[in-house]
Amino acid sequence: MANATSSSTSSKSKSLKDLDYRVFPRRKSEEAAVLEWGHSAIIHALEAAVAGFGPQPNRGAFFEVETSPVLARPIDGNTKFDKFDNSDEIHGNLVVMTNAANLSGVRMAQLAQNSGAAALLVINIQDSENPDYIYSLQPENDEEKEYAENEIDIPVIMASLAGGNLLTSANEDHTINNGMPDRVRLYGGGDRPFFEDVSSEEPMLYLIHNLLTEEECDDLINSAEGKFEAVDDSKPNLLEGTPAAINNKMGRVLDVERAFLWKGMTRGPSGKAIDERIEQVTGFPEKHLSDFQVNKYNGRDPNIPSSHSPHYDELPGSALTQMATITIFLTDSSEEEGGEMVFPSTKPAIKIKPKKGMAVVHHNIREDGHTDISSIHGDLGFQSSAKNGHQPKYTAKRYVYVNEIHNARKVVLPLLALPFGGKLPSFVFSLHDYFVDKFGEDVGGENFNKFIIYFPIALIFGVAALIGNILVPSEDAKKKTVDKTKKNK
């Protein structure tokens, strides 16, 4: 993998605060919905964004619909009439249309309701370069707002272009209902994880809302308490996946404490449930995921905000390639406190506000295996607020490696860390550094893994042999015992 730390971007010479950002998240949990079809054996679903008018998911049965999907004619709603041409077919069903005609959300809802639809699904085809992008339709002026409040009483949702393609390919026979399923179910997303597309390339970057529950976030913080150590950015921690700062500038860490929780195969039921959810939602195999690295941004010093300057997630010289990074916010942060995660090299730059339980997923390498230089990212300065009791900002990272993580790191090291609540004893780091210094980062890391695996096995056999020698008398001992018995007789 190419070393991107030597790369330069125009944004590095600017103050991060001076950049013009696209700010995320834009979606809210209360406007998340799910459109589902299939049977108990095979369930398909697509995510949708609920409009800011009409019934909302919190209304339960008033929002939920189970009916047949029907394509509108014309599909973009570009008609001089007040209803669709196939209103008889639409009546009582979910009508599916696109926003190709640039109609307002309220106008599309008016057409659907006048046609007797039970609900409206709008497919967003306006941004073909971001086929996963969706947003919540809103009234465009006061007149539309008043009309929607008084007249629109059907659920209105938007799905992405990719979601629309999934819906229209549900039936293998495309001559039947335009490839759509016979029945669909619409319901509120609730606390289920849902995606928000941020950037489809350079870098690939998206958000997963509700990846962890509030209780799981609190549990991670509690597990890390008592194990935090101040980050020393002058030297790398290759064993736990973090490089050193470059030239005392790139990747500089100020007033941050860190704890790596070595759990691996020793994780309990709650940890296993989190791993399974992450694998299911992201598609990243659990065997490629590191354990959690928990970061604590104190922000108590008014002169030194807690921050992490722009950097790449890579381990130069190591065979351990971090394909992607999952960063989960374990706490909320206010506008006043700051602490946003930024990607300064995207066009335009991107700023992501901390939201408890939400994950930021970004890919670190391109398809050719080289570092994606647009993936450079950092954390703006965080200053804790007295209003929030000077609560620190917490994040939890998991690195996604190209290759499966060695059993030494999934089994043996977590066992060594188990008596200390998941924190490795210092001699393990010294041992790892010895192998790296002697053989280099790549070969040294592999030799360390082999030693960690085979040394305990050899030790067990050695102890077993020693015990055997103690408990089982040797042939000479047996002979002396026999001779002594004969002599006594």
Side-chain angles (χ1 to χ4, degrees), residues 66-88:
E66 182 169 355
T67 186
S68 299
V70 177
L71 282 186
R73 289 202 308 266
I75 194 169
D76 61 0
N78 189 13
T79 176
K80 60 182 179 180
F81 303 107
D82 286 334
K83 59 183 180 180
F84 295 111
D85 296 347
N86 58 333
S87 58
D88 290 343

Side-chain angles (χ1 to χ4, degrees), residues 378-438:
D379 290 84
L380 295 181
F382 170 80
Q383 206 85 58
S384 63
S385 169
K387 294 179 182 178
N388 294 330
H390 288 290
Q391 179 189 30
K393 165 193 161 186
Y394 291 91
T395 66
K397 285 181 180 284
R398 296 192 78 167
Y399 297 107
V400 185
Y401 289 93
V402 170
N403 299 317
E404 287 187 13
I405 294 176
H406 199 280
N407 281 336
R409 299 166 186 251
K410 278 290 187 182
V411 180
V412 182
L413 294 185
L415 286 173
L416 290 174
L418 186 61
F420 311 100
K423 182 178 181 179
L424 277 178
S426 58
F427 79 85
V428 179
F429 294 95
S430 299
L431 183 64
H432 179 267
D433 292 344
Y434 167 78
F435 277 99
V436 169
D437 291 342
K438 187 173 182 62

Side-chain angles (χ1 to χ4, degrees), residues 16-54:
L16 291 180
K17 292 183 178 181
D18 293 337
L19 299 177
D20 293 325
Y21 287 104
R22 284 192 298 149
V23 181
F24 294 86
R26 298 178 177 179
R27 295 187 62 190
K28 302 176 182 178
S29 296
E30 53 266 28
E31 60 187 37
V34 177
L35 191 69
E36 183 180 87
W37 63 90
H39 47 77
S40 57
I42 303 177
I43 296 291
H44 300 277
L46 59 86
E47 294 178 1
V50 181
F53 54 87

Side-chain angles (χ1 to χ4, degrees), residues 269-296:
S270 59
K272 185 176 181 181
I274 290 174
D275 286 353
E276 290 175 349
R277 186 187 315 135
I278 292 176
E279 181 172 10
Q280 181 181 22
V281 173
T282 66
F284 297 133
E286 186 272 331
K287 292 182 179 179
H288 292 249
L289 295 174
S290 74
D291 280 312
F292 278 111
Q293 175 201 97
V294 182
N295 296 283
K296 180 180 182 181

Side-chain angles (χ1 to χ4, degrees), residues 283-338:
F284 297 133
E286 186 272 331
K287 292 182 179 179
H288 292 249
L289 295 174
S290 74
D291 280 312
F292 278 111
Q293 175 201 97
V294 182
N295 296 283
K296 180 180 182 181
Y297 296 74
N298 292 298
R300 298 296 295 269
D301 189 335
N303 299 314
I304 307 177
S306 299
S307 62
H308 193 174
S309 69
H311 60 281
Y312 297 99
D313 286 341
E314 63 172 359
L315 301 174
S318 172
L320 298 173
T321 303
Q322 296 168 336
M323 178 181 72
T325 305
I326 304 171
T327 304
I328 307 172
F329 296 113
L330 303 182
T331 51
D332 296 315
S333 295
S334 66
E335 193 87 29
E336 174 191 357
E337 292 173 312

